[in-house]
Amino acid sequence: MADPWQNAMDHAVAVARKAGEVVCEALRGDRAVMTKSSVVDLVTQTDQKVEQLIIHSVKEKFPTHRFIGEESVAAGEPCVLSDSPTWIIDPIDGTTNFVHAFPFVAISIGFAINKQVEFGVVFSCVEDKMFTARRGKGAFCNGEPLQVSRQEAVEQAMVATEFGSNRDADVVNKIFQSLRNILCLPVHGVRGAGSAAINMCLVASGCVEAYYEIGIHVWDVAAASLIVSEAGGVLMDVEGGDADLMSRRIIAANSKTIAERLIKAIVPFSVPRDDAA
Ligand code: LIP
């Protein structure tokens, strides 16, 4: 039977590529910076322009579909994941990288029905890497199949994480306690690309065994969550149990063994959910 969402996925890939051209062009010019929830939570006109470009283009083809977009939510739109077909968009994942021309930025487009991600597209535009996954059909980078690492020994693992944009001293202490615990397991190394979506694609590609972060949003991880699971990885909450895309906490790993070992080392802290009223 023909895939009912193939058209939508092809459209997501095409619009992500177009958005990537806009982002790469903007990287060559001036980038005026504005702030959102804190002085280190950055946004630029390019984030807003690219989100509008994607939403307008999708609306023309799929007028009844819904959207959760990072910049639309920042502008006051509700962040609700219903059972209806919903496009979950981060126009620039890695905005701080973008501001500094640190070359890891991605356009992230996830598509969910009945709260389940059906396809995910992450375009790391400076690297020119198009990551895609369709539920049940595998994950790919520029058309090549992806497979997570088979390493099960945490002492030989590479772990990715980020510091996020919360500078509350108690939160920063907990982030450093987790890092200390993980470094002392020990692990081979800790890295961070500056973009949740790219970090998760690194898990899917087998370059790092795991990525975790508390404080991310549904638009950072929706598309990449399917890319990880279709590459054979697992998604969990940082305190164990199933991952919840709206909870703002995630661990994506090559295996349950690695995820559970890291969960024991992570010091959790609470953040308001994306769908908190
Ligand atoms: C970013 C995430 C990153 C996190 C940042 C921010 P944005 O997304 O990709 O993992 O540490 O605080 O949330 O804001 O660039 O789309």
Side-chain angles (χ1 to χ4, degrees):
M1 194 182 91
D3 181 346
W5 298 113
Q6 188 61 51
N7 236 350
M9 185 165 166
D10 292 346
H11 191 69
V13 170
V15 79
R17 203 173 283 288
K18 200 186 249 179
E21 281 169 22
V22 175
V23 172
C24 285
E25 180 58 39
L27 271 171
R28 290 187 275 271
D30 288 338
R31 296 172 300 283
V33 186
M34 297 166 281
T35 59
K36 294 193 285 188
S37 64
S38 78
V39 289
V40 293
D41 184 9
L42 311 182
V43 63
T44 69
Q45 279 180 354
T46 309
D47 295 71
Q48 294 161 342
K49 179 173 150 189
V50 168
E51 182 159 318
Q52 285 313 309
L53 179 155
I54 297 170
I55 291 179
H56 284 145
S57 152
V58 173
K59 263 189 184 164
E60 264 181 28
K61 279 204 139 205
F62 306 97
T64 62
H65 290 187
R66 296 185 179 208
F67 297 90
I68 295 176
E70 175 170 19
E71 306 317 332
S72 310
V73 171
E77 293 283 325
C79 185
V80 179
L81 186 55
S82 68
D83 289 342
S84 308
T86 305
W87 296 67
I88 305 166
I89 299 161
D90 190 341
I92 304 181
D93 188 48
T95 299
T96 306
N97 286 354
F98 172 74
V99 166
H100 293 269
F102 191 78
F104 300 98
V105 290
I107 291 85
S108 174
I109 305 177
F111 177 77
I113 305 178
N114 297 323
K115 302 184 181 71
Q116 189 170 44
V117 181
E118 288 292 336
F119 64 75
V121 172
V122 172
F123 183 39
S124 179
C125 55
V126 179
E127 297 183 284
D128 195 20
K129 288 186 176 172
M130 181 69 76
F131 294 92
T132 55
R134 171 76 178 100
R135 193 159 64 85
K137 293 191 176 163
F140 299 84
C141 176
N142 293 344
E144 293 295 317
L146 295 175
Q147 170 66 51
V148 294
S149 148
R150 293 194 168 83
Q151 182 57 258
E152 297 254 330
V154 81
E155 297 79 8
Q156 290 174 50
M158 181 93 105
V159 177
T161 190
E162 298 292 337
F163 300 111
S165 58
N166 189 331
R167 297 293 185 272
D168 176 87
D170 187 49
V171 166
V172 173
N173 281 340
K174 287 184 169 138
I175 289 171
F176 275 86
Q177 279 167 18
S178 300
L179 261 180
R180 187 188 178 286
N181 293 345
I182 288 169
L183 282 168
C184 293
L185 281 171
V187 292
H188 269 181
V190 175
R191 300 287 185 273
S195 150
I198 293 180
N199 286 328
M200 289 170 75
C201 289
L202 289 168
V203 175
S205 306
C207 307
V208 301
E209 274 66 32
Y211 156 74
Y212 73 91
E213 188 170 353
I214 302 173
I216 39 77
H217 294 275
V218 60
W219 44 80
D220 297 319
V221 297
S225 66
L226 189 69
I227 295 170
V228 170
S229 57
E230 286 296 324
V234 300
L235 298 150
M236 293 178 74
D237 179 69
V238 292
E239 287 187 81
D242 292 341
D244 171 350
L245 286 182
M246 301 302 264
S247 73
R248 303 188 55 203
R249 300 146 43 115
I250 203 156
I251 176 159
N254 65 333
S255 64
K256 216 170 167 209
T257 312
I258 292 277
E260 286 179 339
R261 192 67 193 84
L262 292 174
I263 284 166
K264 285 193 192 137
I266 294 170
V267 179
F269 54 90
S270 56
V271 279
R273 294 174 58 83
D274 271 332
D275 53 5

